[in-house]
Amino acid sequence: LDNKLDLNLLGGHESQKAINSNIVAGGTGVPLTTSVAFPSVSIPTASTPIAQTENSLESYLSRALLSYDNRYNLSLILRADGSSRFANGRRWGTFWSVGGSWNIDREKFFSSVKAFSYLKLRGSYGTSGNNTFGDYQALPTYTFGATTLAANGLAASGTYNGNPASAPANVGNPTLTWEKNQSFDLGLEAGILKSRITFDIGYYKRKTYDLLLNEPISSTVGFQTFGNNVGSMENKGLEVTANFVPVQTKNFRWDIGFNAAWNRNRVLTLSASGADILGTANQIRRLGQDFQSINTRIWAGADPATGNPLWYLDETKSATTSDFTKVTRSIVGSASPKGFGGANTTLHYKNFSANANFYFQYGNLLNAKWDFLYNSDGAWPNLNKNQTQLRRWQKPSNMTDVAR
């Protein structure tokens, strides 16, 4: 084909094994023996058994890249991955993708357009897998030790009637397998004015199914949750990147860059019952909602008459109460940002450069993990406090959001 066709083939194999070992111990009474090379041992006060987990991953991969006249490009990827984290007979997953691009600027009909340095249209569709889960979630396991927490459920004691013992630690799942993604991407890349202005705009849509989650079960079986493939969710959004060179001389150059992304996430399906699945930090998985939705009691401030804490009874915010047990949890937002991005600028002068970078995100809630100490309404008085405590309720008729 007049030497216009270029083909690149790649095949590979990869094996990984990870071992994680840890032990925690404490002791007191270490004597001051700094003058000797090996200090005396301490008096043990507490210890936990040595814990070790391991997992392995084996992969076979292949890739074919085909290009014609540097105008039309096609990529094909096929791989198979096997993970020890999943159940026997369900450890292997096969994933693939196909992608293509069209360098429009290299077409004859585009040669008369002088404003564009380059113009490319690209797209791809494919699948991928995720095995980020506990090393032994597929196996029914036992635990040993003085006091050990079950991997996915209730506390499991390592003693019985004063004697060493073991207890179930994980219920296991003989069908546990890969979490899977189906991804679509479409984008446009361009350079204008001899690439003094470049930009990349992309749209993506990704469906994730067979989610790896800890699904609730009745505590009467001895566990509260078990690892399972349950439900699906969707992510879709827009990504924009732009770079500018407003000034360029022989010895000086000024670069400005900007990128931003907007993503929308929602849960499509859950278990057959459609029941909510609780996550960490007050997060909840609920049909139609963001995967990282925050489900909590809505704070209403301090009672102006008594200074007692107030909560809204429900999401309607039509009534308040000081009785914590009467409050219904409501979704108040999400930990997922609605948008995020960054900006950068660089000044080059001969062999010297100076740069600045900025980052932003908005539309998400943050978990104030240590607020129970810093905004403790009088508890732990020996610890530092947030200045918001200065506006605490002090007398009747005080209107404030900080209880007495």
Side-chain angles (χ1 to χ4, degrees), residues 12-16 56-62 77-86 90-96 127-131 177-179:
H13 172 260
E14 184 179 47
S15 293
Q16 302 178 38
S56 58
L57 178 69
E58 187 170 8
S59 305
Y60 297 90
L61 54 96
S62 61
I77 296 175
L78 178 66
R79 63 181 298 151
D81 299 280
S83 174
S84 64
R85 288 174 166 168
F86 300 127
R90 304 186 51 96
R91 292 179 172 175
W92 285 90
T94 301
F95 310 105
W96 59 270
T127 64
S128 61
N130 172 39
N131 70 334
T177 188
W178 287 85
E179 179 180 289

PDB file of all heavy atoms in Angstrom, residues 12-16 56-62 77-86 90-96 127-131 177-179:
ATOM      1  N   GLY A  12       2.172 -10.040  25.815  1.00  0.00           N
ATOM      2  CA  GLY A  12       2.896 -10.015  27.075  1.00  0.00           C
ATOM      3  C   GLY A  12       2.255 -10.876  28.143  1.00  0.00           C
ATOM      4  O   GLY A  12       1.100 -11.311  28.030  1.00  0.00           O
ATOM      5  N   HIS A  13       3.027 -11.133  29.179  1.00  0.00           N
ATOM      6  CA  HIS A  13       2.575 -11.892  30.341  1.00  0.00           C
ATOM      7  C   HIS A  13       3.103 -11.203  31.586  1.00  0.00           C
ATOM      8  O   HIS A  13       4.239 -10.711  31.611  1.00  0.00           O
ATOM      9  CB  HIS A  13       3.077 -13.333  30.283  1.00  0.00           C
ATOM     10  CG  HIS A  13       2.808 -14.095  31.553  1.00  0.00           C
ATOM     11  ND1 HIS A  13       3.774 -14.302  32.510  1.00  0.00           N
ATOM     12  CD2 HIS A  13       1.678 -14.680  32.021  1.00  0.00           C
ATOM     13  CE1 HIS A  13       3.251 -14.995  33.514  1.00  0.00           C
ATOM     14  NE2 HIS A  13       1.982 -15.234  33.239  1.00  0.00           N
ATOM     15  N   GLU A  14       2.274 -11.157  32.628  1.00  0.00           N
ATOM     16  CA  GLU A  14       2.668 -10.490  33.855  1.00  0.00           C
ATOM     17  C   GLU A  14       2.172 -11.288  35.047  1.00  0.00           C
ATOM     18  O   GLU A  14       1.042 -11.778  35.059  1.00  0.00           O
ATOM     19  CB  GLU A  14       2.077  -9.068  33.891  1.00  0.00           C
ATOM     20  CG  GLU A  14       2.507  -8.238  35.081  1.00  0.00           C
ATOM     21  CD  GLU A  14       1.922  -6.845  35.039  1.00  0.00           C
ATOM     22  OE1 GLU A  14       0.698  -6.737  34.785  1.00  0.00           O
ATOM     23  OE2 GLU A  14       2.655  -5.864  35.241  1.00  0.00           O
ATOM     24  N   SER A  15       3.031 -11.430  36.043  1.00  0.00           N
ATOM     25  CA  SER A  15       2.657 -12.110  37.288  1.00  0.00           C
ATOM     26  C   SER A  15       3.024 -11.222  38.476  1.00  0.00           C
ATOM     27  O   SER A  15       4.119 -10.663  38.513  1.00  0.00           O
ATOM     28  CB  SER A  15       3.372 -13.457  37.422  1.00  0.00           C
ATOM     29  OG  SER A  15       2.923 -14.371  36.443  1.00  0.00           O
ATOM     30  N   GLN A  16       2.099 -11.110  39.416  1.00  0.00           N
ATOM     31  CA  GLN A  16       2.332 -10.307  40.607  1.00  0.00           C
ATOM     32  C   GLN A  16       1.927 -11.102  41.843  1.00  0.00           C
ATOM     33  O   GLN A  16       0.961 -11.863  41.813  1.00  0.00           O
ATOM     34  CB  GLN A  16       1.515  -9.011  40.572  1.00  0.00           C
ATOM     35  CG  GLN A  16       1.769  -8.108  39.389  1.00  0.00           C
ATOM     36  CD  GLN A  16       0.875  -6.887  39.419  1.00  0.00           C
ATOM     37  OE1 GLN A  16       0.606  -6.312  40.467  1.00  0.00           O
ATOM     38  NE2 GLN A  16       0.390  -6.495  38.252  1.00  0.00           N
ATOM     39  N   SER A  56      -2.388 -12.741  44.629  1.00  0.00           N
ATOM     40  CA  SER A  56      -1.604 -12.824  43.399  1.00  0.00           C
ATOM     41  C   SER A  56      -2.489 -12.488  42.204  1.00  0.00           C
ATOM     42  O   SER A  56      -3.710 -12.649  42.247  1.00  0.00           O
ATOM     43  CB  SER A  56      -0.981 -14.214  43.234  1.00  0.00           C
ATOM     44  OG  SER A  56      -1.977 -15.214  43.231  1.00  0.00           O
ATOM     45  N   LEU A  57      -1.833 -12.013  41.146  1.00  0.00           N
ATOM     46  CA  LEU A  57      -2.523 -11.636  39.920  1.00  0.00           C
ATOM     47  C   LEU A  57      -1.690 -12.087  38.736  1.00  0.00           C
ATOM     48  O   LEU A  57      -0.491 -11.826  38.673  1.00  0.00           O
ATOM     49  CB  LEU A  57      -2.726 -10.115  39.871  1.00  0.00           C
ATOM     50  CG  LEU A  57      -3.401  -9.544  38.622  1.00  0.00           C
ATOM     51  CD1 LEU A  57      -4.865  -9.969  38.572  1.00  0.00           C
ATOM     52  CD2 LEU A  57      -3.291  -8.023  38.592  1.00  0.00           C
ATOM     53  N   GLU A  58      -2.319 -12.780  37.817  1.00  0.00           N
ATOM     54  CA  GLU A  58      -1.641 -13.230  36.609  1.00  0.00           C
ATOM     55  C   GLU A  58      -2.383 -12.695  35.393  1.00  0.00           C
ATOM     56  O   GLU A  58      -3.611 -12.741  35.331  1.00  0.00           O
ATOM     57  CB  GLU A  58      -1.577 -14.755  36.550  1.00  0.00           C
ATOM     58  CG  GLU A  58      -0.730 -15.279  35.400  1.00  0.00           C
ATOM     59  CD  GLU A  58      -0.469 -16.772  35.493  1.00  0.00           C
ATOM     60  OE1 GLU A  58      -1.065 -17.423  36.370  1.00  0.00           O
ATOM     61  OE2 GLU A  58       0.321 -17.287  34.671  1.00  0.00           O
ATOM     62  N   SER A  59      -1.627 -12.163  34.423  1.00  0.00           N
ATOM     63  CA  SER A  59      -2.255 -11.505  33.270  1.00  0.00           C
ATOM     64  C   SER A  59      -1.588 -11.926  31.973  1.00  0.00           C
ATOM     65  O   SER A  59      -0.361 -12.092  31.910  1.00  0.00           O
ATOM     66  CB  SER A  59      -2.153  -9.982  33.411  1.00  0.00           C
ATOM     67  OG  SER A  59      -2.700  -9.531  34.624  1.00  0.00           O
ATOM     68  N   TYR A  60      -2.410 -12.083  30.942  1.00  0.00           N
ATOM     69  CA  TYR A  60      -1.946 -12.287  29.577  1.00  0.00           C
ATOM     70  C   TYR A  60      -2.553 -11.162  28.731  1.00  0.00           C
ATOM     71  O   TYR A  60      -3.768 -10.933  28.775  1.00  0.00           O
ATOM     72  CB  TYR A  60      -2.386 -13.647  29.041  1.00  0.00           C
ATOM     73  CG  TYR A  60      -1.797 -14.812  29.809  1.00  0.00           C
ATOM     74  CD1 TYR A  60      -2.457 -15.345  30.907  1.00  0.00           C
ATOM     75  CD2 TYR A  60      -0.586 -15.372  29.421  1.00  0.00           C
ATOM     76  CE1 TYR A  60      -1.917 -16.411  31.617  1.00  0.00           C
ATOM     77  CE2 TYR A  60      -0.034 -16.438  30.122  1.00  0.00           C
ATOM     78  CZ  TYR A  60      -0.701 -16.950  31.218  1.00  0.00           C
ATOM     79  OH  TYR A  60      -0.161 -17.997  31.919  1.00  0.00           O
ATOM     80  N   LEU A  61      -1.726 -10.465  27.995  1.00  0.00           N
ATOM     81  CA  LEU A  61      -2.220  -9.296  27.280  1.00  0.00           C
ATOM     82  C   LEU A  61      -1.703  -9.264  25.848  1.00  0.00           C
ATOM     83  O   LEU A  61      -0.641  -9.801  25.527  1.00  0.00           O
ATOM     84  CB  LEU A  61      -1.825  -8.014  28.017  1.00  0.00           C
ATOM     85  CG  LEU A  61      -0.342  -7.822  28.351  1.00  0.00           C
ATOM     86  CD1 LEU A  61       0.333  -6.971  27.297  1.00  0.00           C
ATOM     87  CD2 LEU A  61      -0.192  -7.192  29.722  1.00  0.00           C
ATOM     88  N   SER A  62      -2.490  -8.606  24.999  1.00  0.00           N
ATOM     89  CA  SER A  62      -2.113  -8.449  23.593  1.00  0.00           C
ATOM     90  C   SER A  62      -2.649  -7.109  23.091  1.00  0.00           C
ATOM     91  O   SER A  62      -3.673  -6.612  23.572  1.00  0.00           O
ATOM     92  CB  SER A  62      -2.682  -9.593  22.741  1.00  0.00           C
ATOM     93  OG  SER A  62      -4.099  -9.607  22.796  1.00  0.00           O
ATOM     94  N   ILE A  77      -7.179  -4.164  21.810  1.00  0.00           N
ATOM     95  CA  ILE A  77      -6.553  -4.694  23.014  1.00  0.00           C
ATOM     96  C   ILE A  77      -7.396  -5.844  23.550  1.00  0.00           C
ATOM     97  O   ILE A  77      -8.628  -5.741  23.645  1.00  0.00           O
ATOM     98  CB  ILE A  77      -6.397  -3.605  24.095  1.00  0.00           C
ATOM     99  CG1 ILE A  77      -5.440  -2.506  23.620  1.00  0.00           C
ATOM    100  CG2 ILE A  77      -5.898  -4.204  25.404  1.00  0.00           C
ATOM    101  CD1 ILE A  77      -5.318  -1.344  24.581  1.00  0.00           C
ATOM    102  N   LEU A  78      -6.738  -6.938  23.889  1.00  0.00           N
ATOM    103  CA  LEU A  78      -7.393  -8.092  24.502  1.00  0.00           C
ATOM    104  C   LEU A  78      -6.500  -8.597  25.617  1.00  0.00           C
ATOM    105  O   LEU A  78      -5.300  -8.780  25.416  1.00  0.00           O
ATOM    106  CB  LEU A  78      -7.638  -9.190  23.465  1.00  0.00           C
ATOM    107  CG  LEU A  78      -8.277 -10.485  23.984  1.00  0.00           C
ATOM    108  CD1 LEU A  78      -9.702 -10.209  24.464  1.00  0.00           C
ATOM    109  CD2 LEU A  78      -8.263 -11.564  22.911  1.00  0.00           C
ATOM    110  N   ARG A  79      -7.080  -8.819  26.795  1.00  0.00           N
ATOM    111  CA  ARG A  79      -6.285  -9.321  27.920  1.00  0.00           C
ATOM    112  C   ARG A  79      -7.152 -10.223  28.799  1.00  0.00           C
ATOM    113  O   ARG A  79      -8.386 -10.113  28.831  1.00  0.00           O
ATOM    114  CB  ARG A  79      -5.711  -8.173  28.740  1.00  0.00           C
ATOM    115  CG  ARG A  79      -6.731  -7.272  29.412  1.00  0.00           C
ATOM    116  CD  ARG A  79      -6.023  -6.164  30.184  1.00  0.00           C
ATOM    117  NE  ARG A  79      -5.197  -6.707  31.246  1.00  0.00           N
ATOM    118  CZ  ARG A  79      -4.097  -6.126  31.708  1.00  0.00           C
ATOM    119  NH1 ARG A  79      -3.659  -5.005  31.157  1.00  0.00           N
ATOM    120  NH2 ARG A  79      -3.407  -6.664  32.691  1.00  0.00           N
ATOM    121  N   ALA A  80      -6.476 -11.115  29.502  1.00  0.00           N
ATOM    122  CA  ALA A  80      -7.131 -12.005  30.462  1.00  0.00           C
ATOM    123  C   ALA A  80      -6.388 -11.876  31.786  1.00  0.00           C
ATOM    124  O   ALA A  80      -5.154 -11.943  31.829  1.00  0.00           O
ATOM    125  CB  ALA A  80      -7.110 -13.444  29.970  1.00  0.00           C
ATOM    126  N   ASP A  81      -7.123 -11.672  32.859  1.00  0.00           N
ATOM    127  CA  ASP A  81      -6.540 -11.491  34.182  1.00  0.00           C
ATOM    128  C   ASP A  81      -7.141 -12.488  35.152  1.00  0.00           C
ATOM    129  O   ASP A  81      -8.363 -12.681  35.183  1.00  0.00           O
ATOM    130  CB  ASP A  81      -6.794 -10.074  34.689  1.00  0.00           C
ATOM    131  CG  ASP A  81      -6.175  -9.014  33.807  1.00  0.00           C
ATOM    132  OD1 ASP A  81      -4.962  -8.785  33.934  1.00  0.00           O
ATOM    133  OD2 ASP A  81      -6.906  -8.419  32.993  1.00  0.00           O
ATOM    134  N   GLY A  82      -6.272 -13.101  35.954  1.00  0.00           N
ATOM    135  CA  GLY A  82      -6.716 -14.023  36.989  1.00  0.00           C
ATOM    136  C   GLY A  82      -6.287 -13.531  38.348  1.00  0.00           C
ATOM    137  O   GLY A  82      -5.110 -13.237  38.564  1.00  0.00           O
ATOM    138  N   SER A  83      -7.237 -13.417  39.291  1.00  0.00           N
ATOM    139  CA  SER A  83      -6.958 -12.898  40.626  1.00  0.00           C
ATOM    140  C   SER A  83      -7.292 -13.935  41.684  1.00  0.00           C
ATOM    141  O   SER A  83      -8.366 -14.551  41.655  1.00  0.00           O
ATOM    142  CB  SER A  83      -7.761 -11.618  40.882  1.00  0.00           C
ATOM    143  OG  SER A  83      -7.598 -11.184  42.220  1.00  0.00           O
ATOM    144  N   SER A  84      -6.386 -14.095  42.650  1.00  0.00           N
ATOM    145  CA  SER A  84      -6.601 -15.057  43.735  1.00  0.00           C
ATOM    146  C   SER A  84      -7.673 -14.585  44.708  1.00  0.00           C
ATOM    147  O   SER A  84      -8.103 -15.341  45.573  1.00  0.00           O
ATOM    148  CB  SER A  84      -5.292 -15.281  44.496  1.00  0.00           C
ATOM    149  OG  SER A  84      -4.863 -14.075  45.136  1.00  0.00           O
ATOM    150  N   ARG A  85      -8.108 -13.327  44.588  1.00  0.00           N
ATOM    151  CA  ARG A  85      -9.087 -12.799  45.524  1.00  0.00           C
ATOM    152  C   ARG A  85     -10.500 -13.336  45.288  1.00  0.00           C
ATOM    153  O   ARG A  85     -11.370 -13.154  46.138  1.00  0.00           O
ATOM    154  CB  ARG A  85      -9.108 -11.266  45.430  1.00  0.00           C
ATOM    155  CG  ARG A  85      -7.873 -10.620  46.032  1.00  0.00           C
ATOM    156  CD  ARG A  85      -7.847  -9.133  45.804  1.00  0.00           C
ATOM    157  NE  ARG A  85      -6.852  -8.495  46.653  1.00  0.00           N
ATOM    158  CZ  ARG A  85      -6.441  -7.244  46.532  1.00  0.00           C
ATOM    159  NH1 ARG A  85      -6.953  -6.489  45.558  1.00  0.00           N
ATOM    160  NH2 ARG A  85      -5.539  -6.739  47.349  1.00  0.00           N
ATOM    161  N   PHE A  86     -10.704 -13.987  44.154  1.00  0.00           N
ATOM    162  CA  PHE A  86     -12.053 -14.432  43.823  1.00  0.00           C
ATOM    163  C   PHE A  86     -12.209 -15.934  44.000  1.00  0.00           C
ATOM    164  O   PHE A  86     -11.244 -16.663  44.228  1.00  0.00           O
ATOM    165  CB  PHE A  86     -12.394 -14.003  42.391  1.00  0.00           C
ATOM    166  CG  PHE A  86     -12.339 -12.508  42.198  1.00  0.00           C
ATOM    167  CD1 PHE A  86     -11.577 -11.943  41.180  1.00  0.00           C
ATOM    168  CD2 PHE A  86     -13.018 -11.658  43.060  1.00  0.00           C
ATOM    169  CE1 PHE A  86     -11.521 -10.581  41.008  1.00  0.00           C
ATOM    170  CE2 PHE A  86     -12.969 -10.284  42.905  1.00  0.00           C
ATOM    171  CZ  PHE A  86     -12.216  -9.733  41.874  1.00  0.00           C
ATOM    172  N   ARG A  90     -14.010 -18.715  39.220  1.00  0.00           N
ATOM    173  CA  ARG A  90     -14.486 -17.382  38.849  1.00  0.00           C
ATOM    174  C   ARG A  90     -13.376 -16.342  38.971  1.00  0.00           C
ATOM    175  O   ARG A  90     -13.631 -15.141  39.080  1.00  0.00           O
ATOM    176  CB  ARG A  90     -15.687 -16.989  39.709  1.00  0.00           C
ATOM    177  CG  ARG A  90     -16.801 -18.011  39.603  1.00  0.00           C
ATOM    178  CD  ARG A  90     -18.063 -17.648  40.287  1.00  0.00           C
ATOM    179  NE  ARG A  90     -18.607 -16.345  39.980  1.00  0.00           N
ATOM    180  CZ  ARG A  90     -19.543 -16.120  39.080  1.00  0.00           C
ATOM    181  NH1 ARG A  90     -19.992 -17.100  38.302  1.00  0.00           N
ATOM    182  NH2 ARG A  90     -20.041 -14.914  38.927  1.00  0.00           N
ATOM    183  N   ARG A  91     -12.140 -16.813  38.935  1.00  0.00           N
ATOM    184  CA  ARG A  91     -11.004 -15.915  39.147  1.00  0.00           C
ATOM    185  C   ARG A  91     -10.551 -15.197  37.880  1.00  0.00           C
ATOM    186  O   ARG A  91      -9.857 -14.190  37.965  1.00  0.00           O
ATOM    187  CB  ARG A  91      -9.833 -16.707  39.734  1.00  0.00           C
ATOM    188  CG  ARG A  91     -10.103 -17.191  41.150  1.00  0.00           C
ATOM    189  CD  ARG A  91      -8.962 -17.992  41.726  1.00  0.00           C
ATOM    190  NE  ARG A  91      -9.187 -18.273  43.141  1.00  0.00           N
ATOM    191  CZ  ARG A  91      -8.393 -19.031  43.881  1.00  0.00           C
ATOM    192  NH1 ARG A  91      -7.321 -19.590  43.334  1.00  0.00           N
ATOM    193  NH2 ARG A  91      -8.667 -19.217  45.153  1.00  0.00           N
ATOM    194  N   TRP A  92     -10.930 -15.695  36.721  1.00  0.00           N
ATOM    195  CA  TRP A  92     -10.434 -15.127  35.480  1.00  0.00           C
ATOM    196  C   TRP A  92     -11.483 -14.224  34.842  1.00  0.00           C
ATOM    197  O   TRP A  92     -12.673 -14.524  34.848  1.00  0.00           O
ATOM    198  CB  TRP A  92     -10.028 -16.225  34.498  1.00  0.00           C
ATOM    199  CG  TRP A  92      -8.733 -16.865  34.864  1.00  0.00           C
ATOM    200  CD1 TRP A  92      -8.558 -17.958  35.663  1.00  0.00           C
ATOM    201  CD2 TRP A  92      -7.430 -16.437  34.481  1.00  0.00           C
ATOM    202  NE1 TRP A  92      -7.216 -18.242  35.797  1.00  0.00           N
ATOM    203  CE2 TRP A  92      -6.496 -17.318  35.072  1.00  0.00           C
ATOM    204  CE3 TRP A  92      -6.953 -15.396  33.692  1.00  0.00           C
ATOM    205  CZ2 TRP A  92      -5.130 -17.185  34.901  1.00  0.00           C
ATOM    206  CZ3 TRP A  92      -5.583 -15.259  33.516  1.00  0.00           C
ATOM    207  CH2 TRP A  92      -4.689 -16.143  34.113  1.00  0.00           C
ATOM    208  N   GLY A  93     -10.993 -13.119  34.312  1.00  0.00           N
ATOM    209  CA  GLY A  93     -11.841 -12.205  33.564  1.00  0.00           C
ATOM    210  C   GLY A  93     -11.178 -11.839  32.249  1.00  0.00           C
ATOM    211  O   GLY A  93      -9.952 -11.686  32.186  1.00  0.00           O
ATOM    212  N   THR A  94     -11.949 -11.723  31.193  1.00  0.00           N
ATOM    213  CA  THR A  94     -11.435 -11.350  29.869  1.00  0.00           C
ATOM    214  C   THR A  94     -11.957  -9.955  29.523  1.00  0.00           C
ATOM    215  O   THR A  94     -13.162  -9.706  29.589  1.00  0.00           O
ATOM    216  CB  THR A  94     -11.894 -12.350  28.799  1.00  0.00           C
ATOM    217  OG1 THR A  94     -11.423 -13.666  29.152  1.00  0.00           O
ATOM    218  CG2 THR A  94     -11.322 -11.967  27.432  1.00  0.00           C
ATOM    219  N   PHE A  95     -11.044  -9.071  29.163  1.00  0.00           N
ATOM    220  CA  PHE A  95     -11.390  -7.677  28.908  1.00  0.00           C
ATOM    221  C   PHE A  95     -10.785  -7.231  27.574  1.00  0.00           C
ATOM    222  O   PHE A  95      -9.741  -7.720  27.167  1.00  0.00           O
ATOM    223  CB  PHE A  95     -10.882  -6.790  30.053  1.00  0.00           C
ATOM    224  CG  PHE A  95     -11.270  -7.305  31.415  1.00  0.00           C
ATOM    225  CD1 PHE A  95     -10.337  -7.933  32.232  1.00  0.00           C
ATOM    226  CD2 PHE A  95     -12.575  -7.203  31.866  1.00  0.00           C
ATOM    227  CE1 PHE A  95     -10.674  -8.423  33.477  1.00  0.00           C
ATOM    228  CE2 PHE A  95     -12.943  -7.697  33.104  1.00  0.00           C
ATOM    229  CZ  PHE A  95     -11.998  -8.312  33.913  1.00  0.00           C
ATOM    230  N   TRP A  96     -11.455  -6.297  26.938  1.00  0.00           N
ATOM    231  CA  TRP A  96     -11.035  -5.885  25.603  1.00  0.00           C
ATOM    232  C   TRP A  96     -11.385  -4.415  25.388  1.00  0.00           C
ATOM    233  O   TRP A  96     -12.190  -3.826  26.124  1.00  0.00           O
ATOM    234  CB  TRP A  96     -11.731  -6.743  24.541  1.00  0.00           C
ATOM    235  CG  TRP A  96     -13.234  -6.657  24.612  1.00  0.00           C
ATOM    236  CD1 TRP A  96     -14.060  -7.449  25.347  1.00  0.00           C
ATOM    237  CD2 TRP A  96     -14.067  -5.686  23.966  1.00  0.00           C
ATOM    238  NE1 TRP A  96     -15.372  -7.055  25.201  1.00  0.00           N
ATOM    239  CE2 TRP A  96     -15.408  -5.967  24.349  1.00  0.00           C
ATOM    240  CE3 TRP A  96     -13.830  -4.629  23.103  1.00  0.00           C
ATOM    241  CZ2 TRP A  96     -16.489  -5.216  23.908  1.00  0.00           C
ATOM    242  CZ3 TRP A  96     -14.911  -3.877  22.644  1.00  0.00           C
ATOM    243  CH2 TRP A  96     -16.220  -4.170  23.039  1.00  0.00           C
ATOM    244  N   THR A 127     -13.975  -2.772  27.720  1.00  0.00           N
ATOM    245  CA  THR A 127     -14.290  -3.266  29.058  1.00  0.00           C
ATOM    246  C   THR A 127     -13.017  -3.340  29.889  1.00  0.00           C
ATOM    247  O   THR A 127     -11.906  -3.418  29.356  1.00  0.00           O
ATOM    248  CB  THR A 127     -14.946  -4.656  28.995  1.00  0.00           C
ATOM    249  OG1 THR A 127     -13.997  -5.593  28.436  1.00  0.00           O
ATOM    250  CG2 THR A 127     -16.189  -4.630  28.136  1.00  0.00           C
ATOM    251  N   SER A 128     -13.181  -3.323  31.190  1.00  0.00           N
ATOM    252  CA  SER A 128     -12.057  -3.471  32.127  1.00  0.00           C
ATOM    253  C   SER A 128     -12.594  -4.079  33.410  1.00  0.00           C
ATOM    254  O   SER A 128     -13.813  -4.188  33.608  1.00  0.00           O
ATOM    255  CB  SER A 128     -11.379  -2.123  32.400  1.00  0.00           C
ATOM    256  OG  SER A 128     -12.294  -1.207  32.975  1.00  0.00           O
ATOM    257  N   GLY A 129     -11.690  -4.470  34.290  1.00  0.00           N
ATOM    258  CA  GLY A 129     -12.094  -5.123  35.535  1.00  0.00           C
ATOM    259  C   GLY A 129     -11.438  -4.511  36.747  1.00  0.00           C
ATOM    260  O   GLY A 129     -10.411  -3.829  36.653  1.00  0.00           O
ATOM    261  N   ASN A 130     -12.036  -4.754  37.906  1.00  0.00           N
ATOM    262  CA  ASN A 130     -11.514  -4.259  39.179  1.00  0.00           C
ATOM    263  C   ASN A 130     -11.521  -5.396  40.189  1.00  0.00           C
ATOM    264  O   ASN A 130     -12.537  -6.071  40.368  1.00  0.00           O
ATOM    265  CB  ASN A 130     -12.370  -3.095  39.682  1.00  0.00           C
ATOM    266  CG  ASN A 130     -11.980  -2.669  41.089  1.00  0.00           C
ATOM    267  OD1 ASN A 130     -10.804  -2.647  41.444  1.00  0.00           O
ATOM    268  ND2 ASN A 130     -12.968  -2.337  41.902  1.00  0.00           N
ATOM    269  N   ASN A 131     -10.379  -5.606  40.847  1.00  0.00           N
ATOM    270  CA  ASN A 131     -10.281  -6.654  41.875  1.00  0.00           C
ATOM    271  C   ASN A 131      -9.896  -6.076  43.227  1.00  0.00           C
ATOM    272  O   ASN A 131      -9.411  -6.797  44.105  1.00  0.00           O
ATOM    273  CB  ASN A 131      -9.273  -7.723  41.457  1.00  0.00           C
ATOM    274  CG  ASN A 131      -7.833  -7.217  41.497  1.00  0.00           C
ATOM    275  OD1 ASN A 131      -7.580  -6.015  41.354  1.00  0.00           O
ATOM    276  ND2 ASN A 131      -6.883  -8.114  41.681  1.00  0.00           N
ATOM    277  N   THR A 177     -16.621 -12.648  42.025  1.00  0.00           N
ATOM    278  CA  THR A 177     -15.806 -12.516  40.818  1.00  0.00           C
ATOM    279  C   THR A 177     -15.510 -11.042  40.543  1.00  0.00           C
ATOM    280  O   THR A 177     -15.782 -10.171  41.369  1.00  0.00           O
ATOM    281  CB  THR A 177     -16.513 -13.179  39.620  1.00  0.00           C
ATOM    282  OG1 THR A 177     -15.626 -13.209  38.509  1.00  0.00           O
ATOM    283  CG2 THR A 177     -17.777 -12.424  39.233  1.00  0.00           C
ATOM    284  N   TRP A 178     -15.005 -10.744  39.354  1.00  0.00           N
ATOM    285  CA  TRP A 178     -14.550  -9.409  38.990  1.00  0.00           C
ATOM    286  C   TRP A 178     -15.689  -8.387  38.944  1.00  0.00           C
ATOM    287  O   TRP A 178     -16.795  -8.699  38.508  1.00  0.00           O
ATOM    288  CB  TRP A 178     -13.893  -9.436  37.602  1.00  0.00           C
ATOM    289  CG  TRP A 178     -12.547 -10.077  37.578  1.00  0.00           C
ATOM    290  CD1 TRP A 178     -12.275 -11.410  37.453  1.00  0.00           C
ATOM    291  CD2 TRP A 178     -11.278  -9.417  37.668  1.00  0.00           C
ATOM    292  NE1 TRP A 178     -10.919 -11.619  37.463  1.00  0.00           N
ATOM    293  CE2 TRP A 178     -10.280 -10.418  37.589  1.00  0.00           C
ATOM    294  CE3 TRP A 178     -10.890  -8.083  37.801  1.00  0.00           C
ATOM    295  CZ2 TRP A 178      -8.920 -10.120  37.644  1.00  0.00           C
ATOM    296  CZ3 TRP A 178      -9.539  -7.782  37.859  1.00  0.00           C
ATOM    297  CH2 TRP A 178      -8.573  -8.798  37.792  1.00  0.00           C
ATOM    298  N   GLU A 179     -15.392  -7.174  39.392  1.00  0.00           N
ATOM    299  CA  GLU A 179     -16.233  -6.015  39.087  1.00  0.00           C
ATOM    300  C   GLU A 179     -15.875  -5.555  37.678  1.00  0.00           C
ATOM    301  O   GLU A 179     -14.706  -5.506  37.323  1.00  0.00           O
ATOM    302  CB  GLU A 179     -15.970  -4.902  40.100  1.00  0.00           C
ATOM    303  CG  GLU A 179     -16.761  -3.645  39.879  1.00  0.00           C
ATOM    304  CD  GLU A 179     -16.454  -2.591  40.928  1.00  0.00           C
ATOM    305  OE1 GLU A 179     -16.865  -2.762  42.096  1.00  0.00           O
ATOM    306  OE2 GLU A 179     -15.762  -1.589  40.588  1.00  0.00           O
TER     307      GLU A 179
END
